[in-house]
Amino acid sequence: MSFDLVFFGGTGDLTWRKLMPALFQAFRHGKLPEGGRILAVARDDQSDERYREWLKERFREVEAGKRPSDEEFERFAALVHYRRMDLSQPEHYQGLKDWLDARNADTVVLYLATSPHLFTGICQQLGAVGLNHAKVRVVLEKPLGHDLASAQQINRAVRSVFAEAQAFRIDHYLGKPSVQNLMALRFGNALFEPLWRRESIANIQITLAEQLGVGTRGAFYDDTGALRDMIQNHALQLLTMIAMEPPASNDADAIRDEKLKVLRALKPFTQESVARDVVRGQYRAGMCGGHPVPGYLEEVKVPQDSTCETFVALRTEVQNWRWAGVPFYLRTGKRLAARDAQIVVNFRPVPHQIFPGASLPNRLVIKLQPEDGLELQLLAHKGTGPGEQLTPVSLDLDFDKAFATQRVGAYERLLLDAIAGRLNLFVRSDEQEQAWRWVEPILDAWAEDGNGPRPYAAGSWGPAAASALVARDGFAWAEEQ
């Protein structure tokens, strides 16, 4: 299958840090379809050869195991081309169309790795020159809007040019092997699904924690914040995959229909419930990884009076028969105690205790990063004699060890799916808009709250109020248990 993959924003950080290395890995693993061309477009005036040289230098900054040898890069670079484009000039889009039409590939993938405020104009220009025919797919990188209104505006612009089946809204978390295993865990095994409901589960916790601060992205982050950056997309997508009903098939729309039902069933926020059930924080100076680090307000390009949140913890419920009354706790933040992304399913205790001592409930930990695996925490006898207390034991599965050969990274998987036209791991417009609809009351309440975010020390697990949020229901975060 011949394909042309076009990166708008071909000299941007996303393209050289994530997309080109992911494509190289697909090429190295023999997974990239034959007959492909990769075209980077940007405003710089340079040739194919100069761009390839520039890209080779950028690859030196990729982690060692993913860097190409000189021979590998030469073979990969033969697929890479460059074209100068000013995205405000209609004639440049016509030139792009002519370049693509000259070969007439089976599939054309247009990846918008640009600022979202350019999406509308780019899509309109693509439509004007006819680069929206049945062979064309458009990939939209997050953030897809700043609020519900801007997301709807982008979606209207995309729909005016492309059919929904041509629009691939990317959320790179959905490409992680560990996230794909959520579906396999639930719907490929008979073990858990009978227990996957309110009668057996006490609470579910989703944590997306980072040790890094905002670094050089202070200006971007201050206009975004943790709620928009992580909760509205990544955390909610994970919640839908945990809480959804079994789809009728592995078809993209069957899956996305069930995810949308979960988003619509989430308990809506009011100004009062935001004050009660949402904690926002902002990191101050502290110690991370044994080194002193500055506070958020001391970071580059961050306003001294910023009220941007770098931490969010919230409590919600899925209001349906399966999950009624089960609290879902979502948490994300920067400069936390560890880089740790995981989903913890806490089961209810046994209804009648016959063994001596305190008994911890069973727990299933779905590890997303830095490890990728499953840990099932049970209770067992050591066998030391009568009357002994039960001891926690773990059944631990490390996917990286179990499936060690050529595991596919998130962007690699999603790029290959976009080329093949598989929509299963991409977000549909109604999902995206419903997520914004649910988040927006939190943003509105914060806009009227003069108190701002709670401070927390870098290297901690966030404000103490986040622990109190969970303790109010009689539970604790996983690291506090």
Side-chain angles (χ1 to χ4, degrees), residues 183-199:
M183 295 282 287
L185 173 73
R186 289 194 57 194
F187 308 130
N189 298 282
L191 180 63
F192 291 112
E193 194 57 28
L195 304 176
W196 216 255
R197 57 192 65 250
R198 62 186 302 274
E199 290 83 4

Side-chain angles (χ1 to χ4, degrees), residues 350 352-360 379-381 384-392:
V350 294
H352 177 61
Q353 178 63 261
I354 65 171
F355 297 101
S359 178
L360 295 173
L379 295 172
H381 267 301
T384 57
E388 71 169 300
Q389 297 184 17
L390 298 184
T391 301

Side-chain angles (χ1 to χ4, degrees), residues 55-344:
L55 186 61
K56 187 175 184 178
E57 287 298 312
R58 302 286 81 73
F59 265 108
R60 299 185 195 282
E61 299 181 38
V62 175
E63 61 181 278
K66 296 184 178 180
R67 288 180 204 156
S69 65
D70 288 344
E71 186 271 334
E72 284 178 319
F73 183 81
E74 288 304 313
R75 290 191 292 113
F76 175 70
L79 309 179
V80 178
H81 304 269
Y82 180 85
R83 186 175 184 87
R84 181 181 177 274
M85 274 189 73
D86 182 338
L87 299 180
S88 66
Q89 300 300 314
E91 63 271 20
H92 287 199
Y93 291 86
Q94 185 60 53
L96 173 64
K97 183 176 186 297
D98 293 342
W99 190 86
L100 294 168
D101 286 351
R103 191 169 76 123
N104 193 27
D106 297 328
T107 300
V108 176
V109 179
L110 307 173
Y111 197 121
L112 307 193
T114 67
S115 173
H117 78 271
L118 298 175
F119 288 176
T120 297
I122 293 173
C123 287
Q124 290 170 346
Q125 296 278 18
L126 292 171
V129 299
L131 266 177
N132 60 340
H133 53 78
K135 293 182 179 181
V136 174
R137 295 162 194 146
V138 62
V139 181
L140 304 166
E141 181 65 47
K142 86 169 191 81
L144 290 168
H146 195 72
D147 52 20
L148 177 60
S150 59
Q152 289 174 325
Q153 181 183 13
I154 291 172
N155 285 333
R156 281 194 297 269
V158 173
R159 279 195 295 268
S160 71
V161 178
F162 298 98
E164 180 66 36
Q166 293 175 279
F168 289 66
R169 295 170 188 82
I170 202 164
D171 184 330
H172 73 270
Y173 256 71
L174 297 185
K176 291 179 178 289
S178 50
V179 175
Q180 296 163 42
N181 265 314
L182 287 178
M183 295 282 287
L185 173 73
R186 289 194 57 194
F187 308 130
N189 298 282
L191 180 63
F192 291 112
E193 194 57 28
L195 304 176
W196 216 255
R197 57 192 65 250
R198 62 186 302 274
E199 290 83 4
S200 300
I201 293 176
N203 67 84
I204 293 177
Q205 303 175 9
I206 299 174
T207 294
L208 304 176
E210 299 178 90
Q211 274 193 309
L212 294 175
V214 297
T216 59
R217 299 170 67 240
F220 163 79
Y221 194 87
D222 201 69
D223 196 41
T224 305
L227 187 71
R228 291 183 175 97
D229 191 41
M230 298 295 286
I231 296 292
Q232 184 273 335
N233 38 70
H234 303 326
L236 281 186
Q237 283 294 317
L238 294 176
L239 188 154
T240 61
M241 297 179 82
I242 281 289
M244 66 190 278
E245 294 298 319
S249 69
N250 200 32
D251 174 74
D253 277 332
I255 294 168
R256 298 191 294 183
D257 286 346
E258 297 302 336
K259 288 163 64 183
L260 178 60
K261 290 176 186 176
V262 174
L263 292 170
R264 287 175 172 167
L266 285 174
K267 187 176 182 179
F269 281 106
T270 64
Q271 194 161 7
E272 293 74 22
S273 66
V274 169
R276 182 184 67 244
D277 294 335
V278 183
V279 176
R280 60 172 167 158
Q282 187 184 88
Y283 65 84
R284 298 294 186 256
M287 298 288 291
C288 262
H291 302 285
V293 295
Y296 179 72
L297 297 180
E298 288 83 57
E299 297 281 17
V300 179
K301 297 182 181 178
V302 171
Q304 294 298 300
D305 59 349
S306 171
T307 59
C308 174
E309 80 286 355
T310 62
F311 175 94
V312 177
L314 62 84
R315 179 194 190 279
T316 189
E317 296 179 16
V318 179
Q319 297 180 313
N320 61 18
W321 278 46
R322 180 186 289 264
W323 297 113
V326 176
F328 286 72
Y329 304 107
L330 278 58
R331 175 177 60 165
T332 189
K334 290 190 173 295
R335 288 294 187 211
L336 296 182
R339 176 176 177 256
D340 186 21
Q342 64 178 17
I343 301 167
V344 179

Side-chain angles (χ1 to χ4, degrees), residues 344-406:
V344 179
V345 180
N346 289 299
F347 290 90
R348 297 191 184 279
V350 294
H352 177 61
Q353 178 63 261
I354 65 171
F355 297 101
S359 178
L360 295 173
N362 300 140
R363 184 164 68 166
L364 176 66
V365 182
I366 303 164
K367 302 174 183 178
L368 307 177
Q369 68 181 28
E371 299 171 337
D372 177 8
L374 293 173
E375 182 181 346
L376 182 59
Q377 299 178 3
L378 306 171
L379 295 172
H381 267 301
K382 285 185 178 178
T384 57
E388 71 169 300
Q389 297 184 17
L390 298 184
T391 301
V393 295
S394 293
L395 303 177
D396 202 346
L397 172 62
D398 186 328
F399 288 133
D400 285 328
K401 292 180 180 176
F403 312 120
T405 58
Q406 295 187 1

